[in-house]
Amino acid sequence: MDRFSESAAAVQPAEIIALLRWYQDAGVDEAIGDDPGALGRPRVAAVPSAPVQMAPPQPVQPEPRPSPRPQAAAVLPGSDAATGDARRIAAGCSTLEELAAALAAFDGCGLKATATQMVFADGNPDADIMIVGEAPGAEEDRLGKPFVGQSGKLLDRMLAAIGLDRSTVYISNIVNWRPPGNRQPNAAEIAISLPFIERHIALMQPKILLCAGGTSAAALLATREGITRIHGRWFERAFPDLPAPVPTMPIYHPAFILRQPGMKRDVWRDLLVLKHRMIELGCAFKSDA
């Protein structure tokens, strides 16, 4: 008996018909093996073969790209290159108008990108007294003038106490753009601004220079002593293109006095020291003083 007959004899016809119908209902329409009797025998699980070891993929070497053309290095705000540009630009200005225009066009200070406008100066450029603050605040940034907020109003009262006003003083800042959130300018921002304010002072040629606040005093006098130790003291500060050093005195910033009203007695003493030196040097007071 052949293999097909043996398989058929082992399986009843009714079972074969039922099995074929089940395959038909399942969608089976052709035989995969060459043994018809396999339809009636239980399937034997295949023995898994050993896994085939695949060679690790070789990294694809990228095609060499042509070297880019060399470009000039960008001058980043606050960088040493930007500070060098500031010195060169400031030194080339021979008038206050030229300095203001050069400063407005200068992009080396990152604060310019966040401020509303540059705050250059206020007051009388022919005055004997120059006051240098720290940086513009929100009101100064909005109006484009230094010391016009609450601290500016207090400064006006301080000046009036010794016979001065904005017609007899000239006011600027170390930094000419408002730092975000009215924070203190950092060391890089001061370094990039210092050549401009030094040239500003040299062009203005004041008889007396006042540093309003510790940041201004530290920048212009290169001192690490705090404002509470050096306020009311005289220093001699030399500037390029000026024939003699300028008498320079640090004073409390008006904003500090607003926060510490108990310092008003020290402020009054400093103002009297300033008035006495003004008389010695023949500085001008306001006409009705």
Side-chain angles (χ1 to χ4, degrees):
M1 184 181 295
D2 57 20
R3 293 172 54 192
F4 179 78
S5 300
E6 292 176 355
S7 299
V11 183
Q12 297 300 321
E15 294 177 355
I16 296 174
I17 294 172
L19 183 60
L20 291 173
R21 286 177 179 174
W22 183 87
Y23 279 124
Q24 184 179 20
D25 292 338
V28 177
D29 57 1
E30 61 177 330
I32 302 303
D34 57 359
D35 184 2
L39 294 174
R41 293 197 301 267
R43 299 184 64 183
V44 180
V47 179
S49 59
V52 179
Q53 298 294 330
M54 301 295 293
Q58 297 298 321
V60 179
Q61 297 296 330
E63 296 182 2
R65 296 182 179 180
S67 301
R69 295 180 180 179
Q71 298 180 352
V75 178
L76 299 177
S79 65
D80 291 341
T83 303
D85 284 349
R87 294 193 189 99
R88 175 182 54 79
I89 293 170
C93 298
S94 57
T95 66
L96 292 176
E97 291 76 15
E98 289 180 4
L99 183 67
L103 190 56
F106 181 67
D107 293 327
C109 183
L111 295 177
K112 182 179 180 179
T114 58
T116 301
Q117 59 183 317
M118 181 186 72
V119 179
F120 186 68
D122 190 29
N124 183 1
D126 295 322
D128 294 326
I129 311 298
M130 183 172 182
I131 303 172
V132 178
E134 299 174 349
E139 281 298 295
E140 289 78 9
D141 182 54
R142 184 175 68 87
L143 298 176
K145 292 184 179 181
F147 285 95
V148 293
Q150 290 299 317
S151 61
K153 294 177 181 178
L154 179 55
L155 176 63
D156 290 341
R157 294 198 296 271
M158 291 165 55
L159 296 175
I162 57 171
L164 296 173
D165 59 15
R166 298 208 180 206
S167 68
T168 52
V169 299
Y170 184 74
I171 308 172
S172 187
N173 284 305
I174 294 291
V175 175
N176 297 97
W177 289 279
R178 177 199 179 198
N182 285 1
R183 65 165 171 77
Q184 292 289 328
N186 60 40
E189 293 159 353
I190 291 173
I192 200 69
S193 302
L194 197 58
F196 289 105
I197 190 60
E198 289 180 334
R199 187 58 180 162
H200 202 157
I201 295 168
L203 292 173
M204 198 270 174
Q205 300 183 25
K207 291 182 179 179
I208 290 177
L209 178 64
L210 299 179
C211 299
T215 300
S216 175
L220 288 175
L221 298 176
T223 179
R224 295 186 177 180
E225 291 189 274
I227 190 66
T228 58
R229 296 180 60 87
I230 61 176
H231 72 92
R233 290 166 48 187
W234 288 107
F235 298 82
E236 297 295 314
R237 175 61 155 89
F239 294 92
D241 301 326
L242 289 184
V246 179
T248 303
M249 186 174 77
I251 62 173
Y252 285 125
H253 195 285
F256 175 77
I257 303 169
L258 289 173
R259 297 190 301 268
Q260 302 287 340
M263 296 292 185
K264 289 182 179 179
R265 181 176 298 180
D266 290 343
V267 174
W268 177 240
R269 284 199 294 263
D270 294 347
L271 291 174
L272 292 180
V273 172
L274 170 61
K275 184 175 183 178
H276 179 73
R277 191 63 176 268
M278 288 177 62
I279 294 172
E280 286 183 345
L281 297 176
C283 298
F285 292 86
K286 63 179 182 180
S287 58
D288 58 348

